[in-house]
Amino acid sequence: MNIEQFENNPYLLLTPGPLSTSKRVKAAMLKDWCTWDNEYNELVQEIRSRLVALATKRTGRYTTVLMQGSGSFAVEAVIGTVIPKNGKLLVIANGAYGQRIARMAEVLNIDAAVLTFAEDAAIDLSRVEAALEQDPAITHAAVVHCETTSGMLNPIADIGRIAKRRGLVYIVDAMSSFGGIPMELNELAIDYLISSANKCIQGVPGFGFVIADKERLQQCAGQARSLSLDLYDQWKQMEDHNGKWRFTSPTHVVRAFYEAMRELEEEGGVARRNARYAENQRTLSEGMRALGFRTLLPDGLQSPIITSFLYPENGSFRFKAFYEKLKAKGFVIYPGKISHADTFRIGNIGEVNREDMVRLLAAIGEEMQRPAQYE
C-alpha cells in the first residue's frame, strides 16, 4: 500500500461511519493529553453534559457514560450491565445490528427472545404486542433505530409506547442516528440510548456513549457480566472523580469529539444537520434512479443516513470493480449486507453536502457508460 499516494489523494468516505470529518476535527488531535489532568477531565464532563442536553430537555433525569471502543462495545456494556440475572430481553431485529444484540445476549448467557423481521420489512407492531402478551417474563426490550443493514428507520416512538405500557426497560441502539435525527428521550420513553463518536456527530472512532435514565442506571450496581464493560462502574467513576475514566481513555478522540460537537452547534443543531443529510439522501436517490438504479427500500421507510441500491438487472455488474473505479475518483462506498438480495450502500452522513452527491453521481454516470469493465 502506498501511504504517501493515499495522503496526497484522499477520498470521501460515503459510509455510515467511520465517515469523512472536517479539517478542524482532525486538527484537534494534534495535541497530546494526560488522562489525569483536570483540564482534560473537565472536557470529558462538558461532553457528558452536552450529550444529555442534545438528547433531552429533561436534563436532570438523564446522565451520560462514555465507553472505550467501537459502538458495539457500548451496546454490549448496556446489555451486559442493565439486565439482572432474573431479567429477560426482547430483541426486535430487522437487520444485522439487531441480530448482533441478540448474539451478545446469547454469549453473555442472558435470557432473550428474538422477534425477527425481514431486512427490508417494516416492524409489525402487532407482532411486538403479541410477543409481549405471550411472554410476561420479558423485562427489557431493545431495538436498532436506524438499521444500516438496509437504511431502514424503525418506529422507536411506537415501540417505546408499547414497552412503557408494560413497564419494560427500553434500550435503543441509535448508533447511526443520534445527532443526525431529532429525538427527545423523555418523549420516546427511552431508558438507555447508545451511540458512537464517529457517526452523526462527525467525530472519529474510539469510543461509544450511553445516555441513560439516572434512576435506572443507579439500580445496576453489581449486575455487570464484564469488568471492562461495566457500565455502572464506568459511570460511578466519572461521577465521583470529575470525568475520570476507569481505564486509559482515547484522549485524542475525545478532544476531536468535543470539536465535532462545537461544529454541530455552529451548523444549527440536529435539525439543521438532519436537513443536510436528508438533502444528500434525496439528491442521491433521485440521481441514482435517473441512472437506472433501484433503491432497496421505498421512500417511506428510508432513513437519511445510508441508502441501499440493488445491483442492475443486466447481470454484468461487478461491485468490486465498481468500488475500485469510484475509489480512484475519490469516493468510497459500502458493500451490501442484505442476505437475500445483491446490494451496495452509499452513506449520506459526515462532512458531506449536496455538491458532493452531485459529483458522485457524475462519476457513477461515467462508469455506467462503460459496462464492459464489469464483465
Side-chain angles (χ1 to χ4, degrees), residues 190-256:
I190 296 172
D191 295 299
Y192 297 93
L193 179 141
I194 312 157
S195 192
S196 180
N198 59 295
K199 302 292 185 177
C200 291
I201 297 180
Q202 297 182 187
V204 298
F207 72 91
F209 55 87
V210 180
I211 305 174
D213 181 294
K214 200 178 298 183
E215 288 188 10
R216 292 284 195 190
L217 184 56
Q218 287 171 336
Q219 297 167 13
C220 296
Q223 289 186 171
R225 295 157 175 85
S226 165
L227 173 65
S228 297
L229 299 180
D230 187 331
L231 187 74
Y232 174 84
D233 271 5
Q234 184 90 330
W235 171 74
K236 197 74 168 64
Q237 174 84 356
M238 289 181 171
E239 286 289 292
D240 293 348
H241 299 281
N242 191 37
K244 180 74 175 66
W245 304 51
R246 289 178 303 154
F247 310 122
T248 302
S249 63
T251 54
H252 300 77
V253 174
V254 170
R255 179 61 184 85

Side-chain angles (χ1 to χ4, degrees), residues 230-291:
D230 187 331
L231 187 74
Y232 174 84
D233 271 5
Q234 184 90 330
W235 171 74
K236 197 74 168 64
Q237 174 84 356
M238 289 181 171
E239 286 289 292
D240 293 348
H241 299 281
N242 191 37
K244 180 74 175 66
W245 304 51
R246 289 178 303 154
F247 310 122
T248 302
S249 63
T251 54
H252 300 77
V253 174
V254 170
R255 179 61 184 85
F257 186 76
Y258 176 76
E259 202 62 36
M261 292 201 76
R262 290 178 62 189
E263 284 189 335
L264 174 59
E265 184 178 325
E266 291 168 12
E267 185 173 348
V270 176
R272 290 293 296 274
R273 182 156 292 181
N274 174 258
R276 174 164 61 87
Y277 289 170
E279 183 178 26
N280 289 347
Q281 196 282 327
R282 186 167 51 251
T283 300
L284 175 68
S285 291
E286 290 174 358
M288 289 292 280
R289 286 166 178 160
L291 291 171

